[in-house]
Amino acid sequence: MTSNNDQIKGVSRRSFLYSLGALALSACGGGGSPAAAVAVSRATSLAATSSVTLAHVANGATDIATSGAFVHPGLLHTQADFDRMAQKVTGQASPWYDGWKRLIANGHTRLSWSPRPQVEVDRGGSGSQNYPVLYNDIAAAYACALYWKVTGDTAYADKAVQIMNAWSSTLQRLGGDSNVDLAAGIYGYEFANAGEIMRSYSGWTATDFAAFQSMMLNIFYPINVDFLNRHNNTDITHYWANWDLCNMASIMAIGVLCDDHTLFDQAANYFIDGAGNGAIAQAVYYLHPGYLGQWQETGRDQGHNTLGIALGGAICEMAWNQGIDLYGYDNNRFLAGAEYVAKANLVQADGTYLTVPYMTYSNVDVTQTGFSTASQGTIRPCWALVYNHYVNRKGLAAPWSTKFAMAIQPEGGGGDYGTSSGGYDQLGYGTLTCTRDAVAPATAPSGLTAFPSAGQVVLSWWGVANGTSYNVKRASSSGGSYALIASGITDPSTYTDTPSAGTWYYVVSAQTASGESANSSEVVAVTAVQPHTYLTFNETAGTSAADATGNGHTGTLVGGATHVAGRAGNAVSLDGSSGYVSLPNNVVADVSDITIAAWVFWNGGNAWTRIFDFGAGTGRYLFLTPKNSSGVMRFAITTNGGHGERGINGNAALPTGQWAHVAVTLSGTTATLYLNGSVIGSATDVVFAPWRVGSTAQNWIGRSQYAGDPFFSGSIDEFRIYRGAMSADQILTLAQAA
């Protein structure tokens, strides 16, 4: 893995950490009103077994909080995995035995291996970079540990222990430049895995095992956690996803090795809602239809892009073996990333590659407008793990990960693939260690979503392992009867419907060799403009602002927010220092096309105050400001902080000292900004709908996600949200209402 740009970037208004939380959406919106789109719960299936608990915190988010005894061995492999490997190798069953032959042919699996421990290991910088000594010894320790677990030959156990004891009694520090963060992350998770395999060996004394734990906890972990907390004092978008991922993997592995729940939970929760690019919502940067999840490093090169799958898969498997289903989190978001990367890098019979969709990506350093073909076709031994979890363990379809796994089977060790493929950035041997007999395929497609977009409805779903094609069905009422509207869909698993305006219900079924499967769970899509939230602010006292739609989206007055006379009836007054209105968590997280409108009386003030700002911190939000630094109104939405914003600058600031009607609409990728019923700005490249922002616990009227921005000073009345984009005439009608 090559070095990141080491230049230190100044920290802007962006904070390092924010909470993305967890989102659970039902088939209906609040109060029984049908939702515009149904997303699979971001919190469901996190608990894979009963060995952990989930702590539900007050704001509606779900944090992972493990308790009780860890499973040992319980990182990349469990004892059940080793029992399977031993049985399959003894019977010379393919492909396990083919993977075994790759292991024993590898030069690291030999009893003559002599460890070369160092007092200091350096990666990066102008001095001697001796980190290959470390990763080669780790590869040898891991390979010998596998050999022992499969055969019971204690000579190999002794060799693995010899290597680990040599390092734990010698290594005192990791050094170099910022690339030491990569060394601590990659070699930390790999070394911890070797130690976890060997912890039950009677020939490894308790004292020596404790010394190994101490090395991991006191030399590797401090660098891991410091990186995730500070990112070397750079802008949070500066470091590529793999820097976060390797350090998360190391923290998680050390947590299990050292029986430390705090470390394990820290890594698992960062994967879910961390601020950096390695957290899954940022790592899988953009979900294209059919759940092709564009990986964060796609515009950089495919060597790093494929490494993301190797590291992300390791994290998911280690968590799974401790009872946490990160694989399935956010509707199998990791699988979406794996399928995208696999499809883009799998060479075809004629030597070409398939094309994948691409969305422009921006961070503090670069804007990448297209897919990078650099290192395209990179092979890493990571696909057996992905394929075997989703297909053979869960019964889902993962066609591109499957094809890649089959094309490179049997997988060798990490070092077998050369430095051009990031050799030793992963442990490898997945054919031997990860292959499992298939479970029965899923009985129906799953994870169906239906998002309205400019009058159309875009559906995506996860297929079944034995599916050959898929059927899409639609009904005008919940539960059917469903009419078949499309059939014979193969790849990708998506369909775009163009129904009339209304409320529509969808299911998908699979065609298999034995016939048609059951229908998927039903989802609903609303293609007509429909009230979502309406705060009249007509209360005269208290801190509640009722939602007149009946959907239960009650506002809460906070700080210097009070009831005052408004345009007609009352309004909410915000004092410009602490007053704002808080809306419920995830208030627009199941909305795609949208209209937000309000009457606003602004007293004026500095730039970047907010009329509204719905988000999860400074990385993911949508907002409207009466005046930006250029002196005009601005609407923006982002899933990657300020550098990734898509939005509109109006042609004027919001007037001060008078009531003005403001509105913003989003229809597909077209956003329009209105002032007093007239268009003051528009853009056609706003590709982030509210649902893409994800779960949000900071949904505010009058307050910004950025702590340095001023609070709103003035009054707000008749704050409305609609599903669907109103027409210009409808906006004008709102603006002219008495």
Side-chain angles (χ1 to χ4, degrees):
M1 182 173 178
T2 57
S3 172
N4 198 71
N5 180 355
D6 293 326
Q7 180 181 2
I8 300 298
K9 303 294 180 180
V11 180
S12 65
R13 299 184 299 161
R14 293 147 185 85
S15 62
F16 287 126
L17 297 175
Y18 64 87
S19 173
L20 186 61
L23 170 66
L25 300 176
S26 66
C28 291
S33 173
V38 176
V40 170
S41 166
R42 297 170 189 266
T44 54
S45 300
L46 278 177
T49 74
S50 59
S51 65
V52 299
T53 60
L54 296 178
H56 296 271
V57 297
N59 68 358
T62 301
D63 285 343
I64 292 172
T66 56
S67 60
F70 280 105
V71 175
H72 294 301
L75 288 178
L76 287 175
H77 321 299
T78 66
Q79 187 57 47
D81 294 330
F82 291 122
D83 292 343
R84 180 185 65 247
M85 294 178 219
Q87 186 241 340
K88 297 292 187 180
V89 169
T90 298
Q92 297 191 8
S94 181
W96 295 269
Y97 191 64
D98 304 309
W100 171 253
K101 288 189 288 186
R102 290 295 300 267
L103 173 71
I104 62 177
N106 190 290
H108 293 90
T109 317
R110 63 176 190 265
L111 297 177
S112 60
W113 186 274
S114 294
R116 294 191 293 161
Q118 308 291 307
V119 172
E120 178 172 336
V121 169
D122 292 328
R123 178 165 178 168
S126 58
S128 173
Q129 297 190 52
N130 58 349
Y131 65 95
V133 174
L134 174 59
Y135 68 56
N136 272 287
D137 274 0
I138 292 172
Y142 177 72
C144 289
L146 289 182
Y147 197 108
W148 168 61
K149 292 296 285 189
V150 172
T151 66
D153 189 335
T154 58
Y156 287 88
D158 291 336
K159 177 56 64 175
V161 166
Q162 179 199 11
I163 295 168
M164 291 187 287
N165 285 348
W167 280 92
S168 63
S169 63
T170 305
L171 183 66
Q172 296 182 20
R173 57 191 169 272
L174 301 176
D177 60 15
S178 64
N179 285 276
V180 69
D181 298 316
L182 296 176
I186 295 171
Y187 313 136
Y189 100 83
E190 293 179 340
F191 221 171
N193 265 274
E196 178 69 9
I197 295 171
M198 296 307 305
R199 68 184 301 144
S200 64
Y201 178 51
S202 60
W204 199 7
T205 69
T207 299
D208 287 341
F209 176 56
F212 184 81
Q213 290 176 305
S214 178
M215 176 186 69
M216 301 306 301
L217 192 60
N218 296 315
I219 296 177
F220 287 84
Y221 171 71
I223 297 174
N224 302 147
V225 72
D226 179 72
F227 179 80
L228 291 186
N229 284 339
R230 291 193 311 109
H231 290 83
N232 294 317
N233 295 328
T234 63
D235 182 281
I236 196 63
T237 66
H238 170 61
Y239 281 98
W240 300 98
N242 289 327
W243 291 68
D244 278 352
L245 286 165
C246 68
N247 283 284
M248 274 187 274
S250 183
I251 292 173
M252 180 175 285
I254 294 169
V256 174
L257 179 78
C258 297
D259 291 294
D260 191 322
H261 289 282
T262 299
L263 271 62
F264 179 89
D265 298 348
Q266 182 180 57
N269 283 304
Y270 198 99
F271 182 88
I272 292 172
D273 64 6
N277 285 322
I280 193 63
Q282 287 84 254
V284 182
Y285 165 68
Y286 192 88
L287 287 173
H288 296 277
Y291 298 143
L292 286 173
Q294 182 175 317
W295 199 261
Q296 189 257 347
E297 303 200 39
T298 297
R300 184 187 184 194
D301 65 74
Q302 299 311 304
H304 289 93
N305 223 29
T306 52
L307 177 57
I309 305 306
L311 293 171
I315 292 169
C316 289
E317 184 68 13
M318 291 187 295
W320 176 270
N321 286 332
Q322 296 301 330
I324 296 292
D325 186 9
L326 297 182
Y327 279 118
Y329 176 72
D330 198 7
N331 196 10
N332 302 314
R333 194 176 183 104
F334 175 70
L335 176 58
E339 284 292 279
Y340 181 96
V341 174
K343 184 174 185 178
N345 285 279
L346 182 61
V347 65
Q348 305 301 294
D350 62 359
T352 64
Y353 298 96
L354 296 173
T355 58
V356 290
Y358 183 84
M359 183 59 61
T360 294
Y361 171 79
S362 297
N363 62 28
V364 67
D365 302 305
V366 297
T367 292
Q368 296 166 333
T369 59
F371 178 94
S372 173
T373 60
S375 303
Q376 192 171 16
T378 290
I379 295 175
R380 291 183 184 271
C382 63
W383 296 106
L385 183 149
V386 178
Y387 156 65
N388 277 281
H389 174 78
Y390 288 106
V391 179
N392 287 343
R393 187 186 264 159
K394 302 297 291 183
L396 301 178
W400 297 107
S401 298
T402 299
K403 289 178 181 179
F404 215 125
M406 296 299 100
I408 65 172
Q409 185 173 281
E411 289 184 340
D416 292 345
Y417 296 86
T419 56
S420 64
S421 298
Y424 303 97
D425 285 347
Q426 55 278 304
L427 290 165
Y429 305 116
T431 302
L432 169 65
T433 62
C434 300
T435 302
R436 57 187 64 245
D437 293 316
V439 300
T443 57
S446 59
L448 176 63
T449 54
F451 291 110
S453 178
Q456 297 181 309
V457 178
V458 180
L459 298 104
S460 299
W461 61 88
W462 292 112
V464 298
N466 62 339
T468 56
S469 66
Y470 297 90
N471 311 308
V472 178
K473 306 171 188 180
R474 184 184 68 205
S476 58
S477 60
S478 181
S481 56
Y482 300 107
L484 180 67
I485 60 172
S487 61
I489 298 171
T490 53
D491 178 76
S493 296
T494 183
Y495 178 73
T496 300
D497 188 26
T498 309
S500 58
T503 301
W504 301 101
Y505 300 84
Y506 296 89
V507 294
V508 174
S509 65
Q511 290 298 140
T512 72
S514 57
E516 185 179 6
S517 76
N519 288 333
S520 68
S521 297
E522 179 185 83
V523 296
V524 59
V526 178
T527 56
V529 174
Q530 181 187 84
H532 174 280
T533 302
Y534 181 24
L535 305 184
T536 64
F537 295 115
N538 280 335
E539 295 82 5
T540 58
T543 59
S544 291
D547 176 12
T549 67
N551 289 333
H553 300 149
T554 303
T556 301
L557 279 61
V558 181
T562 57
H563 302 284
V564 297
R567 292 181 62 255
N570 283 343
V572 63
S573 174
L574 306 177
D575 66 358
S577 60
S578 66
Y580 65 99
V581 178
S582 178
L583 292 178
N585 291 348
N586 310 318
V587 67
V588 294
D590 65 343
V591 179
S592 48
D593 287 356
I594 194 171
T595 300
I596 304 178
W599 283 98
V600 181
F601 190 105
W602 185 36
N603 294 330
N606 293 332
W608 298 116
T609 188
R610 295 292 196 268
I611 296 172
F612 67 83
D613 193 333
F614 303 157
T618 58
R620 311 176 74 82
Y621 54 78
L622 61 154
F623 75 85
L624 178 62
T625 180
K627 183 177 72 176
N628 66 2
S629 55
S630 299
V632 296
M633 291 179 64
R634 176 170 173 79
F635 166 78
I637 184 169
T638 183
T639 63
N640 192 39
H643 309 293
E645 284 183 4
R646 299 295 181 96
I648 320 161
N649 287 336
N651 57 22
L654 182 70
T656 61
Q658 59 184 282
W659 284 104
H661 189 266
V662 299
V664 61
T665 64
L666 179 63
S667 176
T669 62
T670 299
T672 308
L673 183 60
Y674 296 85
L675 176 61
N676 292 323
S678 297
V679 175
I680 63 167
S682 63
T684 59
D685 65 344
V686 182
V687 297
F688 303 123
W691 70 266
R692 293 186 182 276
V693 174
S695 57
T696 57
Q698 298 178 174
N699 303 303
W700 297 326
I701 299 171
R703 180 180 174 183
S704 170
Q705 304 294 317
Y706 290 94
D709 289 341
F711 282 69
F712 181 87
S713 176
S715 299
I716 294 178
D717 202 358
E718 298 182 34
F719 187 88
R720 306 171 188 254
I721 303 174
Y722 293 87
R723 299 184 187 279
M726 283 185 162
S727 67
D729 287 343
Q730 290 172 315
I731 296 294
L732 182 61
T733 298
L734 278 183
Q736 292 175 340

